Amino acid sequence: MKFLLNRANWENFLGQISKTYLIYAPQEFYGELAYQLLAPENVSKTIYNTYRAVQPLKTFFSLPQERVTEETTQAGKTIVLGVKNCDLKAISVMDKIFLEGEFVDPFYKERRDKTLIVSSDCYQPKDTCFCALLDNNPFPEAGFDLNLSQIDSVFLLEVGSPKGESFIAPIKEDLQDVTSDLIQKREKKRKEATERVLEVNREFRTERPFPSVVKDEYASPEWEEAARTCVECGACTNICPSCYCFLLVDTKDEGKFPKVKFWDSCQHTGFARVAAGVNPRAKLYERLRNRYLCKYEYRPENFGIVACTGCGRCVEACQGKIDKREVIKKLEERSGET
Amino acid sequence: MVENPYLPIEAKVEKIIDETSNIKTFVLKSSKKIKFETGQFVQLTIPGSGEAPFTPSSSPSQTEKIELTVMNVGLLTGKLHEMREGEVVGIRGPYGRGYPLDDFYKKEVLILGGGVGMAPLRSLLLTLLENVDKFRRIVLCYGAKTPEDIVYKGAFPEWQKKKKLEILRSVDKAAPGWNETEGLVTVLLDKIEMDLKNSAAVVCGPPIMMKFGTLKLLDLGYQPENIYLSMEKNMSCGLGKCGHCGLGKYFVCKDGPVFKYDLIKDIPDIWL
Ligand SMILES: Cc1cc2nc3c(=O)[nH]c(=O)nc-3n(C[C@H](O)[C@H](O)[C@H](O)COP(=O)(O)OP(=O)(O)OC[C@H]3O[C@@H](n4cnc5c(N)ncnc54)[C@H](O)[C@@H]3O)c2cc1C
Ligand code: SF4
Ligand code: SF4
Ligand code: FES
């Protein structure tokens, strides 16, 4: 289902409901694009169609720190605006982990259920974005409740789920039919955006797909080289929209067996250490490599999804200036070396 | 809210049995029965201190109480060893996949254990003995550092009398009065003759023993798909979510802890 919607009507609606929902919208924040809590005053400042926000979408569902031995969650009805395709893909990985299998994470589930995802196309990729190198598109095709593509002063609104459909029921009158001209314009913008991502990444293109390079070059000396500047800060895993690892820590708080779940990082020394100090990934480069293997080999084997979506956040966040694309490019270049 | 898998239930430490100078067995009675399959594990919480995975060493048919046999190796196990009878701990689980008993039916089962690795193996052994008619033969090869370090010392005389069960024991360093084998546990494998075509081998012990035990079994002619290993990995959630227990694409807490060797043999560095 696709409709045409005037931006003013949409903003008016958001303003009205901003008291019943927590609405997070990408807005400019100290030169970056960051999710801000929406109120009638700042509703028009939202930037829908550039690139992804600083915060990964996962922060809304898997909190950096949360007590998980509670009987209930405090989650409120939430809307996240301007979500980009790289984050939708990443959330599909998080969903597999937290919602599927024998056990369900009740906190993640509750937040996920109570959140409406309004995605948007990217028209201006950053120079760290590389989704298209991983066969991802800079525009959403699935996994959203609603998608907004701004074209001139109007939105092309696409409905992606029953949840999205019932959400827009109150503004039925504002919805107009889309013209084929509008759809064509969207196609053109999408094509240009994809080309832009490829253009930005010209120097990083490899002959084999990234996942094959990572898998084939397991024994490459490049891993050690790449890890030379890593300071084990864990920024890459924290900022990554598909890094789900956590640690349960028992606390001395009130309650029976109070446990707090913290985001954890496979880059930290002790992450895999077992009793008597035995550590399967004692060396820094082994931990660095593990993160690539997780994204490009292990999770794809489990879920059929490449878990790195090319959002480029880890490239920006790295204290050691490690650029994944460069590492993978070098892995391929040094193929055969031992 | 759907059921909360992070929440332990209460269990009272009913009895503590000293096995060796650094291994104790804890008999726990939980507020709700914990139904587990042999080889599955539980997460034990010491309130305010932490949580760690242990495999029950009792038989799953004993549903009133479960027993954990724990070696004191660090922070949490140290705290556990300081606990007294009557104190309360938390338990979550059971988790993971245990021993696939169906695979063992009509076969000779070789059990190779070292040190506290005997904990899950005792649970398995008790289960096999309860259904002994279903198995051709059971051979237990168990090794410890010294005679004092042998767990379940009181149970061995009983087991020695069981039909279809043969027991061989070794210690790395003998002491006066020891008239069984001296040497690493793998030397016991030279003393036995198994019908390789109809045999499954189960291994649990410290990493180094797992490695050399497996290599020795392969040498003897065991096929990788007939070797069952208990893989010890760092664990936090036990639920297949936290990522700590990764072994290649597997989550040991969910896909293991028992793995057929052929499933994991091509993953680099599995013995660490
Ligand atoms: C499936 C399975 C079954 C097992 N069954 C048995 C058994 O039956 N009997 C037995 O004796 N052992 C068993 N073990 C091993 C047992 O779980 C470890 O010996 C135990 O976890 C060691 O804990 P520790 O704190 O005493 O050791 P430490 O050496 O102090 O710590 C061990 C690991 O836990 C981490 N850790 C320590 N403290 C914390 C903390 N506060 N927060 C987060 N992480 C921390 C460390 O980083 C380290 O990786 C089993 C292990 C597994 C995986
Ligand atoms: S690994 Fe880096 S580029 Fe890939 S999804 Fe995570 S943060 Fe984005
Ligand atoms: S962000 Fe960079 S420096 Fe920090 S842990 Fe990751 S790779 Fe290492
Ligand atoms: S222990 Fe958390 S995923 Fe296995």
Side-chain angles (χ1 to χ4, degrees):
Chain A
M1 257 183 295
K2 295 189 188 75
F3 302 101
L4 184 154
L5 175 65
N6 281 314
R7 187 166 170 146
N9 291 344
W10 170 249
E11 286 177 348
N12 186 27
F13 176 54
L14 289 181
Q16 283 167 23
I17 61 169
S18 63
K19 284 196 180 63
T20 33
Y21 285 88
L22 289 166
I23 307 178
Y24 294 93
Q27 299 191 349
E28 204 191 292
F29 185 75
Y30 292 99
E32 284 289 350
L33 197 62
Y35 288 116
Q36 303 290 309
L37 196 57
L38 209 74
E41 301 79 69
N42 67 357
V43 74
S44 63
K45 291 192 178 146
T46 305
I47 301 170
Y48 287 92
N49 288 114
T50 54
Y51 44 79
R52 48 104 189 129
V54 174
Q55 302 102 312
L57 184 60
K58 72 174 180 186
T59 43
F60 296 103
F61 310 130
S62 171
L63 305 191
Q65 167 180 345
E66 173 167 42
R67 251 175 80 145
V68 288
T69 40
E70 304 294 305
E71 296 292 351
T72 54
T73 51
Q74 307 291 313
K77 287 204 296 184
T78 304
I79 301 171
V80 189
L81 299 176
V83 175
K84 299 302 178 293
N85 195 38
C86 48
D87 276 12
L88 292 178
K89 283 264 153 109
I91 272 309
S92 71
V93 177
M94 301 289 281
D95 285 353
K96 293 272 180 202
I97 293 285
F98 288 113
L99 302 178
E100 292 187 9
E102 196 184 338
F103 305 99
V104 169
D105 184 309
F107 303 93
Y108 183 95
K109 179 173 166 42
E110 185 128 335
R111 292 213 168 76
R112 189 78 171 82
D113 288 347
K114 285 188 173 166
T115 302
L116 185 91
I117 295 181
V118 182
S119 58
S120 289
D121 301 17
C122 285
Y123 297 151
Q124 285 172 40
K126 290 189 127 181
D127 56 12
T128 46
C129 292
F130 61 104
C131 55
L133 290 190
L134 295 160
D135 294 329
N136 286 333
N137 290 318
F139 49 86
E141 286 163 299
F144 54 84
D145 296 309
L146 297 171
N147 184 65
L148 292 172
S149 318
Q150 186 163 356
I151 293 152
D152 307 327
S153 65
V154 297
F155 283 131
L156 197 168
L157 169 74
E158 188 171 341
V159 181
S161 75
K163 196 162 148 186
E165 192 177 348
S166 48
F167 178 77
I168 52 165
I171 49 167
K172 259 207 163 77
E173 269 102 82
D174 298 335
L175 303 175
Q176 301 162 40
D177 290 341
V178 279
T179 58
S180 59
D181 173 54
L182 201 67
I183 293 182
Q184 268 169 24
K185 278 188 173 161
R186 188 177 79 163
E187 286 320 304
K188 186 162 173 279
K189 277 178 171 293
R190 288 183 162 185
K191 215 170 140 241
E192 284 166 4
T194 310
E195 279 159 12
R196 218 163 285 146
V197 180
L198 290 172
E199 177 58 28
V200 166
N201 288 286
R202 216 165 30 168
E203 58 181 305
F204 302 116
R205 297 183 80 162
T206 49
E207 307 216 333
R208 285 169 283 161
F210 277 14
S212 308
V213 176
V214 168
K215 198 173 171 177
D216 297 347
E217 306 304 332
Y218 180 88
S220 172
E222 179 55 27
W223 294 112
E224 255 185 280
E225 188 58 33
R228 251 181 354 109
T229 54
C230 174
V231 293
E232 294 183 69
C233 61
C236 51
T237 52
N238 280 341
I239 203 82
C240 177
S242 70
C243 270
Y244 50 82
C245 288
F246 64 85
L247 179 68
L248 294 174
V249 175
D250 286 79
T251 72
K252 298 202 187 320
D253 298 350
E254 291 286 300
K256 227 170 222 165
F257 299 107
K259 290 184 198 297
V260 179
K261 174 180 150 193
F262 289 92
W263 285 357
D264 202 355
S265 174
C266 63
Q267 303 304 291
H268 295 157
T269 323
F271 185 84
R273 186 171 57 215
V274 293
V278 176
N279 192 343
R281 292 190 291 275
K283 298 204 181 82
L284 180 52
Y285 83 87
E286 294 169 329
R287 298 194 289 280
L288 181 113
R289 180 176 60 190
N290 180 68
R291 188 161 177 277
Y292 290 67
L293 292 167
C294 175
K295 300 286 177 212
Y296 297 108
E297 182 179 347
Y298 304 151
R299 298 303 74 88
E301 282 182 18
N302 298 144
F303 307 135
I305 311 167
V306 176
C308 169
T309 67
C311 75
R313 287 187 181 92
C314 61
V315 177
E316 282 182 5
C318 184
Q319 299 303 297
K321 299 201 175 355
I322 302 170
D323 187 328
K324 266 193 127 168
R325 301 168 295 183
E326 230 168 78
V327 173
I328 295 171
K329 179 80 183 164
K330 284 201 190 126
L331 281 170
E332 185 170 81
E333 281 169 6
R334 297 184 69 179
S335 183
E337 272 182 58
T338 44
Chain B
M1 197 165 91
V2 295
E3 201 179 325
N4 186 346
Y6 299 110
L7 209 57
I9 58 167
E10 273 187 15
K12 198 167 115 186
V13 180
E14 281 222 330
K15 201 172 160 201
I16 301 174
I17 303 159
D18 284 316
E19 303 283 357
T20 74
S21 62
N22 63 357
I23 300 176
K24 291 182 183 184
T25 294
F26 298 83
V27 183
L28 306 175
K29 190 165 167 52
S30 49
S31 52
K32 273 185 267 167
K33 273 187 197 173
I34 294 174
K35 281 189 68 179
F36 68 94
E37 286 167 23
T38 184
Q40 283 189 301
F41 70 96
V42 297
Q43 285 281 9
L44 177 128
T45 301
I46 299 184
S49 292
E51 197 173 30
F54 301 101
T55 320
S57 57
S58 48
S59 160
S61 66
Q62 176 194 307
T63 54
E64 289 303 312
K65 291 164 193 176
I66 69 166
E67 296 178 28
L68 304 179
T69 301
V70 177
M71 181 153 88
N72 180 356
V73 292
L75 287 173
L76 191 91
T77 49
K79 281 240 162 72
L80 190 59
H81 271 241
E82 284 167 17
M83 291 191 93
R84 305 247 170 94
E85 290 173 1
E87 289 193 85
V88 170
V89 294
I91 294 233
R92 299 189 287 129
Y95 298 128
R97 296 199 213 164
Y99 295 109
L101 292 175
D102 290 357
D103 288 9
F104 303 163
Y105 285 168
K106 301 203 174 101
K107 285 194 182 156
E108 300 189 346
V109 186
L110 169 63
I111 301 175
L112 181 64
V116 78
M118 190 59 213
L121 298 178
R122 181 178 75 163
S123 175
L124 172 66
L125 181 65
L126 294 172
T127 311
L128 296 178
L129 289 174
E130 285 161 20
N131 305 281
V132 75
D133 296 342
K134 293 186 174 148
F135 309 99
R136 278 248 301 272
R137 178 179 165 219
I138 306 164
V139 179
L140 169 64
C141 295
Y142 175 63
K145 282 208 178 90
T146 70
E148 199 283 323
D149 292 305
I150 289 176
V151 289
Y152 316 126
K153 293 184 191 73
F156 277 94
E158 282 292 308
W159 290 340
Q160 309 275 16
K161 290 185 220 150
K162 298 277 182 195
K163 281 192 310 209
K164 288 199 195 174
L165 171 63
E166 293 151 56
I167 300 177
L168 290 86
R169 302 193 299 182
S170 70
V171 293
D172 301 352
K173 201 172 163 357
W178 181 255
N179 50 22
E180 296 170 55
T181 305
E182 182 173 359
L184 298 174
V185 66
T186 41
V187 304
L188 297 176
L189 296 175
D190 290 323
K191 296 176 184 268
I192 53 166
E193 191 95 26
M194 304 296 293
D195 172 11
L196 288 179
K197 284 208 180 59
N198 289 299
S199 174
V202 181
V203 191
C204 187
I208 189 87
M209 179 237 139
M210 299 276 292
K211 175 176 176 177
F212 289 105
T214 304
L215 295 178
K216 180 87 192 184
L217 289 168
L218 292 168
D219 262 0
L220 290 174
Y222 272 93
Q223 293 301 311
E225 64 268 26
N226 293 326
I227 302 175
Y228 297 80
L229 304 174
S230 290
M231 300 308 288
E232 184 184 340
K233 289 285 152 201
N234 181 308
M235 288 186 182
S236 182
C237 72
L239 309 166
K241 310 214 179 292
C242 76
H244 276 266
C245 64
L247 177 65
K249 69 172 179 180
Y250 298 110
F251 294 96
V252 172
C253 70
K254 171 167 138 278
D255 304 312
V258 178
F259 286 94
K260 283 192 194 197
Y261 180 56
D262 66 332
L263 279 185
I264 55 173
K265 69 179 177 20
D266 296 328
I267 301 172
D269 307 323
I270 58 167
W271 303 115
L272 284 172

